[in-house]
PDB file of all heavy atoms in Angstrom:
ATOM      1  N   ALA A  30      88.208  91.956 110.454  1.00 89.00           N
ATOM      2  CA  ALA A  30      88.168  93.269 109.760  1.00 89.00           C
ATOM      3  C   ALA A  30      86.811  93.604 109.148  1.00 89.00           C
ATOM      4  O   ALA A  30      86.439  94.769 109.162  1.00 89.00           O
ATOM      5  CB  ALA A  30      89.211  93.295 108.650  1.00 89.00           C
ATOM      6  N   VAL A  31      86.083  92.621 108.678  1.00 88.00           N
ATOM      7  CA  VAL A  31      84.834  92.916 107.969  1.00 88.00           C
ATOM      8  C   VAL A  31      83.840  93.663 108.865  1.00 88.00           C
ATOM      9  O   VAL A  31      83.235  94.651 108.425  1.00 88.00           O
ATOM     10  CB  VAL A  31      84.196  91.615 107.375  1.00 88.00           C
ATOM     11  CG1 VAL A  31      82.752  91.874 106.968  1.00 88.00           C
ATOM     12  CG2 VAL A  31      85.029  91.140 106.179  1.00 88.00           C
ATOM     13  N   PRO A  32      83.613  93.246 110.132  1.00 87.00           N
ATOM     14  CA  PRO A  32      82.715  94.064 110.953  1.00 87.00           C
ATOM     15  C   PRO A  32      83.174  95.476 111.131  1.00 87.00           C
ATOM     16  O   PRO A  32      82.368  96.412 111.173  1.00 87.00           O
ATOM     17  CB  PRO A  32      82.667  93.276 112.260  1.00 87.00           C
ATOM     18  CG  PRO A  32      83.071  91.886 111.924  1.00 87.00           C
ATOM     19  CD  PRO A  32      84.048  92.041 110.823  1.00 87.00           C
ATOM     20  N   THR A  33      84.452  95.662 111.266  1.00 86.00           N
ATOM     21  CA  THR A  33      84.991  97.011 111.412  1.00 86.00           C
ATOM     22  C   THR A  33      84.868  97.813 110.108  1.00 86.00           C
ATOM     23  O   THR A  33      84.551  99.038 110.166  1.00 86.00           O
ATOM     24  CB  THR A  33      86.495  96.940 111.811  1.00 86.00           C
ATOM     25  OG1 THR A  33      86.675  95.986 112.869  1.00 86.00           O
ATOM     26  CG2 THR A  33      86.979  98.297 112.282  1.00 86.00           C
ATOM     27  N   ILE A  34      85.078  97.157 108.982  1.00 88.00           N
ATOM     28  CA  ILE A  34      84.904  97.860 107.722  1.00 88.00           C
ATOM     29  C   ILE A  34      83.415  98.251 107.549  1.00 88.00           C
ATOM     30  O   ILE A  34      83.145  99.373 107.111  1.00 88.00           O
ATOM     31  CB  ILE A  34      85.358  96.981 106.553  1.00 88.00           C
ATOM     32  CG1 ILE A  34      86.850  96.783 106.586  1.00 88.00           C
ATOM     33  CG2 ILE A  34      84.932  97.559 105.224  1.00 88.00           C
ATOM     34  CD1 ILE A  34      87.371  95.752 105.639  1.00 88.00           C
ATOM     35  N   ILE A  35      82.534  97.328 107.857  1.00 85.00           N
ATOM     36  CA  ILE A  35      81.106  97.628 107.732  1.00 85.00           C
ATOM     37  C   ILE A  35      80.759  98.823 108.621  1.00 85.00           C
ATOM     38  O   ILE A  35      79.967  99.718 108.211  1.00 85.00           O
ATOM     39  CB  ILE A  35      80.248  96.414 108.107  1.00 85.00           C
ATOM     40  CG1 ILE A  35      80.438  95.331 107.041  1.00 85.00           C
ATOM     41  CG2 ILE A  35      78.769  96.769 108.235  1.00 85.00           C
ATOM     42  CD1 ILE A  35      79.779  94.018 107.383  1.00 85.00           C
ATOM     43  N   THR A  36      81.306  98.841 109.809  1.00 80.00           N
ATOM     44  CA  THR A  36      81.061  99.969 110.713  1.00 80.00           C
ATOM     45  C   THR A  36      81.543 101.272 110.089  1.00 80.00           C
ATOM     46  O   THR A  36      80.826 102.282 110.111  1.00 80.00           O
ATOM     47  CB  THR A  36      81.792  99.767 112.068  1.00 80.00           C
ATOM     48  OG1 THR A  36      81.307  98.549 112.664  1.00 80.00           O
ATOM     49  CG2 THR A  36      81.618 100.913 112.973  1.00 80.00           C
ATOM     50  N   GLN A  37      82.698 101.253 109.521  1.00 80.00           N
ATOM     51  CA  GLN A  37      83.264 102.437 108.880  1.00 80.00           C
ATOM     52  C   GLN A  37      82.390 102.864 107.697  1.00 80.00           C
ATOM     53  O   GLN A  37      82.137 104.058 107.513  1.00 80.00           O
ATOM     54  CB  GLN A  37      84.680 102.208 108.405  1.00 80.00           C
ATOM     55  CG  GLN A  37      85.714 102.038 109.505  1.00 80.00           C
ATOM     56  CD  GLN A  37      86.029 103.338 110.239  1.00 80.00           C
ATOM     57  OE1 GLN A  37      85.682 104.421 109.763  1.00 80.00           O
ATOM     58  NE2 GLN A  37      86.671 103.226 111.381  1.00 80.00           N
ATOM     59  N   LEU A  38      81.904 101.930 106.925  1.00 81.00           N
ATOM     60  CA  LEU A  38      81.084 102.251 105.774  1.00 81.00           C
ATOM     61  C   LEU A  38      79.765 102.846 106.221  1.00 81.00           C
ATOM     62  O   LEU A  38      79.267 103.796 105.611  1.00 81.00           O
ATOM     63  CB  LEU A  38      80.858 100.992 104.926  1.00 81.00           C
ATOM     64  CG  LEU A  38      82.068 100.455 104.174  1.00 81.00           C
ATOM     65  CD1 LEU A  38      81.755  99.160 103.452  1.00 81.00           C
ATOM     66  CD2 LEU A  38      82.650 101.495 103.220  1.00 81.00           C
ATOM     67  N   ILE A  39      79.150 102.269 107.252  1.00 80.00           N
ATOM     68  CA  ILE A  39      77.898 102.822 107.735  1.00 80.00           C
ATOM     69  C   ILE A  39      78.114 104.226 108.293  1.00 80.00           C
ATOM     70  O   ILE A  39      77.300 105.130 108.084  1.00 80.00           O
ATOM     71  CB  ILE A  39      77.313 101.901 108.838  1.00 80.00           C
ATOM     72  CG1 ILE A  39      76.869 100.615 108.210  1.00 80.00           C
ATOM     73  CG2 ILE A  39      76.170 102.609 109.596  1.00 80.00           C
ATOM     74  CD1 ILE A  39      76.373  99.596 109.210  1.00 80.00           C
ATOM     75  N   ASN A  40      79.243 104.426 108.988  1.00 73.00           N
ATOM     76  CA  ASN A  40      79.555 105.771 109.456  1.00 73.00           C
ATOM     77  C   ASN A  40      79.746 106.760 108.297  1.00 73.00           C
ATOM     78  O   ASN A  40      79.358 107.907 108.407  1.00 73.00           O
ATOM     79  CB  ASN A  40      80.832 105.743 110.323  1.00 73.00           C
ATOM     80  CG  ASN A  40      80.603 105.088 111.663  1.00 73.00           C
ATOM     81  OD1 ASN A  40      79.464 104.976 112.140  1.00 73.00           O
ATOM     82  ND2 ASN A  40      81.660 104.575 112.279  1.00 73.00           N
ATOM     83  N   ILE A  41      80.354 106.282 107.211  1.00 73.00           N
ATOM     84  CA  ILE A  41      80.484 107.106 106.024  1.00 73.00           C
ATOM     85  C   ILE A  41      79.121 107.473 105.454  1.00 73.00           C
ATOM     86  O   ILE A  41      78.843 108.608 105.104  1.00 73.00           O
ATOM     87  CB  ILE A  41      81.331 106.414 104.944  1.00 73.00           C
ATOM     88  CG1 ILE A  41      82.807 106.275 105.417  1.00 73.00           C
ATOM     89  CG2 ILE A  41      81.267 107.153 103.604  1.00 73.00           C
ATOM     90  CD1 ILE A  41      83.636 105.428 104.507  1.00 73.00           C
TER      91      ILE A  41
END
Side-chain angles (χ1 to χ4, degrees):
V31 167
T33 312
I34 292 172
I35 292 173
T36 298
Q37 292 288 346
L38 292 177
I39 291 175
N40 289 338
I41 291 172

